Amino acid sequence: MLPGAFGALPADAQAQVMAAGRVGRWSRAELLYHPEDPAETLYLLLRGAARLYRLGTGAREVTLDVHGPGSLLGVLALVGGAGYGMYAEAMDDTEALLLGKEALTRLSATQPAVGVALTEQITRQTRGVQERLSGLVFLEVSQRLAVALLHLADREGPWPEGGPLALRDRVSHQDLAHVVGSTRETITKLLGDFRARGLLDLGYRRIILTDREGLQRVTREPLR
């Protein structure tokens, strides 16, 4: 089954979407595309995660967004005539379905539900960008970190009744810094604070969330 909005498509429509593209695979830190690459291909993330970034002053990497399964990358391919304008980097072992504009146009003509799913997924992502920008403006880093951890927990499924939840995805401090919009050093310090307060436990690139209600409180009230 396809992830995201495409997962609601009938089985035959999903099969046609898969048949219309090809699957690409990348290891952690590999680039899916560069800013100057012609925007000719749409990427539907099937597994893993990718971040979009640009280079700022002094070649400093500025993370624009982070995406997981179901997300669309390279949406400028739907318009054409330009480059992607940013880097897309795999944050883990990642798979994506690569779809060309012409293939999508044909699919939408024969399967109108595909066009609806495409619009719905882009709308979801636009809302996600708005929420991320709002968080950067109105939330402190500890709040944004708690929100990010709870979002990762949601991807794991139901929280065990009265017990901890281990995040299956490998998540480094740098990964969280990209997601939250902070620095690795700040995230490392905050994770230590969260651990000291009993909100989580830490292993090698592994996080075990131990207090869901406590994390929810931090989203409303930053650590002091």
Side-chain angles (χ1 to χ4, degrees), residues 5-28:
F6 292 87
L9 291 172
D12 63 325
Q14 292 193 42
Q16 288 187 42
V17 171
M18 288 296 298
R22 61 182 179 86
V23 175
R25 296 176 176 86
W26 298 265
S27 299
R28 180 180 175 85

Side-chain angles (χ1 to χ4, degrees), residues 182-194:
S182 185
T183 64
R184 181 180 59 80
E185 293 77 12
T186 298
I187 295 301
T188 297
K189 179 181 182 303
L190 281 173
L191 287 173
D193 291 343
F194 279 24

Side-chain angles (χ1 to χ4, degrees), residues 196-210:
R197 293 167 186 255
L199 302 177
L200 52 78
D201 200 1
L202 299 170
Y204 175 68
R205 294 194 66 189
R206 184 171 175 82
I207 298 175
I208 302 169
L209 306 181
T210 54

